[in-house]
Amino acid sequence: MPEQSLRSVDDHLATVLDGIGTIDPIELTLLDAQGLLLAENVVSPVPLPGFDNAGADGYAVRAIDVRDAADGNPVVLPVVGDVVAGVKASAGMGPGLAMRIATGAPMPVGADAVVPLDGTDGGVARVAIHQAVLSGESVRRTGEDLRAGQPALGAGAALGPQQIALLAALGRDRVSVRPRPRVIIVSTGSELVEVGHKPSFGEVTDANSYLLSAAARDAGAEAYRVGIVHDDHTQLLDRLESQLLRADILITTGGVSRGAFDVVKQALSEIGTVDFADVAMRPGMPQGFGHLGDRVPIFCLPGNPVSALVSFEAFARPAIRKLLGKRQIHRATVLAVALERVESPGGLREFRRGVLHREADGTYSVSLVGGAGSHLVASMASSNCLVVIDEDVTEVVAGTRVTVMPLLLSNR
Ligand code: AMP
Ligand code: MG
């Protein structure tokens, strides 16, 4: 095939990303919102802390009453009560007195500092204080963390445990977020059987719908496997049609080559909104991308499992990340020393499976697993990265550095 007829990986990715719109925000409960991006500006309805409270276990006092306290010169004050966390009303306290107080308990009116237990004899009826404190010491002031009416979190903030804690502290149990895209996955091929059904001779167990569901979830999507479709126009179009309503992205695998039975390419080409191109990459050359129904993006990926994974990584994963609103839609790459010589075809971007090692000095090295064959599911399972060999490189010399994309599991 002449190289000129190929579309570059970068061009195809640009076409894909151009074709990805946005999803309307939805309200989710806090824990369902974990890992997503906030779609609203949250203003604090309350001050944090909500009331002046003790910053230590000890005795609430007036600082002025204990200004002369020191080791060897204790000031003794009567203890007129206990304040524990959760009391509904703040106590009042006159001059020359102390109250025993627990961390987080409301400061008694009249007290302006807390002497921590260590600075006292721990007395119950009377307390000997041998540490002077300044006014305000060991007191957490109302609104010192966040005042009522202040911005708490802005739209676009990523909701990790810290941000979820703040929302909870503000009393928010639901927030508006960019939702997880719903990704529908359809495996095509008349040879395919569902996992758990013993394949007869010539039949192949559908691995791709699991591969891509796992990959889509890892990218942050909700994945829906909708089973196997045989190489049959009507069955394929019916299945896709029936899924359109709930889909943010459709992904098919198989049937996109030039063969007589490559039904996905034939059936969807006729509709006219899905474009099939040969992309300058290995594996994964035949790619389909376009829209169905009300502009639902559809990826038609090749059927070999390694091709499906590489195609997903190259095109579908960045699309899902874009829909999530992530700033960083591409996987990070590292440079690693190649432990062996690798030959690669010129004019194609090659993605080989590798095992990436982090050396003691923090540098990386990489070795290949499996061959270039895109049917090698078992060796793919022993890899933890893709080795990316650029279009203009035909040989990677052992000991030189090569680009590697670690396939780290994301924390969803
Ligand atoms: P195709 O792209 O349809 O020509 O398929 C290419 C190769 O990948 C064939 O050997 C298929 O049997 C295999 N294949 C296609 N779909 C799947 C799948 N869902 N799971 C495992 N292997 C598949
Ligand atoms: Mg097929």
Side-chain angles (χ1 to χ4, degrees), residues 188-191 231 253-256 261-262 303:
T188 76
S190 294
E191 75 280 27
D231 292 322
T253 69
V256 291
F261 306 104
D262 286 319

PDB file of all heavy atoms in Angstrom, residues 188-191 231 253-256 261-262 303, ligand 2:
ATOM      1  N   THR A 188     -17.893  -7.537  17.159  1.00  0.00           N
ATOM      2  CA  THR A 188     -18.491  -8.135  15.961  1.00  0.00           C
ATOM      3  C   THR A 188     -17.628  -9.275  15.443  1.00  0.00           C
ATOM      4  O   THR A 188     -16.407  -9.233  15.551  1.00  0.00           O
ATOM      5  CB  THR A 188     -18.662  -7.117  14.816  1.00  0.00           C
ATOM      6  OG1 THR A 188     -17.386  -6.882  14.209  1.00  0.00           O
ATOM      7  CG2 THR A 188     -19.253  -5.805  15.312  1.00  0.00           C
ATOM      8  N   GLY A 189     -18.277 -10.277  14.894  1.00  0.00           N
ATOM      9  CA  GLY A 189     -17.583 -11.411  14.291  1.00  0.00           C
ATOM     10  C   GLY A 189     -18.422 -12.660  14.445  1.00  0.00           C
ATOM     11  O   GLY A 189     -18.859 -12.983  15.542  1.00  0.00           O
ATOM     12  N   SER A 190     -18.644 -13.329  13.326  1.00  0.00           N
ATOM     13  CA  SER A 190     -19.490 -14.537  13.362  1.00  0.00           C
ATOM     14  C   SER A 190     -18.788 -15.692  14.060  1.00  0.00           C
ATOM     15  O   SER A 190     -19.426 -16.669  14.435  1.00  0.00           O
ATOM     16  CB  SER A 190     -19.880 -14.952  11.935  1.00  0.00           C
ATOM     17  OG  SER A 190     -20.718 -13.950  11.401  1.00  0.00           O
ATOM     18  N   GLU A 191     -17.470 -15.548  14.258  1.00  0.00           N
ATOM     19  CA  GLU A 191     -16.731 -16.624  14.937  1.00  0.00           C
ATOM     20  C   GLU A 191     -16.779 -16.483  16.454  1.00  0.00           C
ATOM     21  O   GLU A 191     -16.322 -17.360  17.181  1.00  0.00           O
ATOM     22  CB  GLU A 191     -15.257 -16.611  14.472  1.00  0.00           C
ATOM     23  CG  GLU A 191     -14.374 -15.490  15.049  1.00  0.00           C
ATOM     24  CD  GLU A 191     -14.526 -14.124  14.361  1.00  0.00           C
ATOM     25  OE1 GLU A 191     -15.609 -13.865  13.804  1.00  0.00           O
ATOM     26  OE2 GLU A 191     -13.573 -13.329  14.415  1.00  0.00           O
ATOM     27  N   ASP A 231     -21.488 -11.188  11.798  1.00  0.00           N
ATOM     28  CA  ASP A 231     -21.158 -10.390  10.611  1.00  0.00           C
ATOM     29  C   ASP A 231     -22.389 -10.286   9.724  1.00  0.00           C
ATOM     30  O   ASP A 231     -22.531 -10.994   8.716  1.00  0.00           O
ATOM     31  CB  ASP A 231     -19.972 -11.039   9.870  1.00  0.00           C
ATOM     32  CG  ASP A 231     -18.686 -10.946  10.686  1.00  0.00           C
ATOM     33  OD1 ASP A 231     -18.480  -9.902  11.340  1.00  0.00           O
ATOM     34  OD2 ASP A 231     -17.910 -11.911  10.692  1.00  0.00           O
ATOM     35  N   THR A 253     -15.645  -3.523  17.705  1.00  0.00           N
ATOM     36  CA  THR A 253     -14.378  -4.105  17.256  1.00  0.00           C
ATOM     37  C   THR A 253     -14.671  -5.131  16.187  1.00  0.00           C
ATOM     38  O   THR A 253     -15.714  -5.782  16.194  1.00  0.00           O
ATOM     39  CB  THR A 253     -13.594  -4.824  18.377  1.00  0.00           C
ATOM     40  OG1 THR A 253     -14.303  -6.009  18.743  1.00  0.00           O
ATOM     41  CG2 THR A 253     -13.373  -3.947  19.564  1.00  0.00           C
ATOM     42  N   GLY A 254     -13.696  -5.274  15.298  1.00  0.00           N
ATOM     43  CA  GLY A 254     -13.771  -6.267  14.229  1.00  0.00           C
ATOM     44  C   GLY A 254     -14.453  -5.709  13.002  1.00  0.00           C
ATOM     45  O   GLY A 254     -15.119  -4.660  13.040  1.00  0.00           O
ATOM     46  N   GLY A 255     -14.224  -6.415  11.884  1.00  0.00           N
ATOM     47  CA  GLY A 255     -14.961  -6.112  10.664  1.00  0.00           C
ATOM     48  C   GLY A 255     -14.620  -4.802   9.978  1.00  0.00           C
ATOM     49  O   GLY A 255     -15.469  -4.231   9.291  1.00  0.00           O
ATOM     50  N   VAL A 256     -13.392  -4.314  10.171  1.00  0.00           N
ATOM     51  CA  VAL A 256     -13.068  -3.033   9.522  1.00  0.00           C
ATOM     52  C   VAL A 256     -11.968  -3.164   8.472  1.00  0.00           C
ATOM     53  O   VAL A 256     -11.475  -2.166   7.947  1.00  0.00           O
ATOM     54  CB  VAL A 256     -12.666  -1.946  10.552  1.00  0.00           C
ATOM     55  CG1 VAL A 256     -13.842  -1.541  11.387  1.00  0.00           C
ATOM     56  CG2 VAL A 256     -11.500  -2.396  11.425  1.00  0.00           C
ATOM     57  N   PHE A 261     -16.082 -10.144   4.412  1.00  0.00           N
ATOM     58  CA  PHE A 261     -16.975 -10.297   5.569  1.00  0.00           C
ATOM     59  C   PHE A 261     -16.816  -9.156   6.566  1.00  0.00           C
ATOM     60  O   PHE A 261     -17.247  -9.249   7.696  1.00  0.00           O
ATOM     61  CB  PHE A 261     -16.708 -11.652   6.250  1.00  0.00           C
ATOM     62  CG  PHE A 261     -16.815 -12.790   5.282  1.00  0.00           C
ATOM     63  CD1 PHE A 261     -15.674 -13.417   4.794  1.00  0.00           C
ATOM     64  CD2 PHE A 261     -18.063 -13.202   4.824  1.00  0.00           C
ATOM     65  CE1 PHE A 261     -15.783 -14.447   3.878  1.00  0.00           C
ATOM     66  CE2 PHE A 261     -18.170 -14.240   3.906  1.00  0.00           C
ATOM     67  CZ  PHE A 261     -17.026 -14.854   3.423  1.00  0.00           C
ATOM     68  N   ASP A 262     -16.145  -8.115   6.147  1.00  0.00           N
ATOM     69  CA  ASP A 262     -15.913  -7.006   7.075  1.00  0.00           C
ATOM     70  C   ASP A 262     -17.109  -6.064   7.062  1.00  0.00           C
ATOM     71  O   ASP A 262     -17.138  -5.010   6.437  1.00  0.00           O
ATOM     72  CB  ASP A 262     -14.580  -6.311   6.760  1.00  0.00           C
ATOM     73  CG  ASP A 262     -13.415  -7.176   7.217  1.00  0.00           C
ATOM     74  OD1 ASP A 262     -13.543  -7.757   8.316  1.00  0.00           O
ATOM     75  OD2 ASP A 262     -12.429  -7.306   6.494  1.00  0.00           O
ATOM     76  N   GLY A 303     -10.254  -5.915  14.959  1.00  0.00           N
ATOM     77  CA  GLY A 303     -10.674  -7.012  15.833  1.00  0.00           C
ATOM     78  C   GLY A 303      -9.572  -7.720  16.589  1.00  0.00           C
ATOM     79  O   GLY A 303      -9.823  -8.304  17.644  1.00  0.00           O
TER      80      GLY A 303
HETATM   81 MG    MG B   2     -14.248 -10.201  11.837  1.00  0.00          MG
END
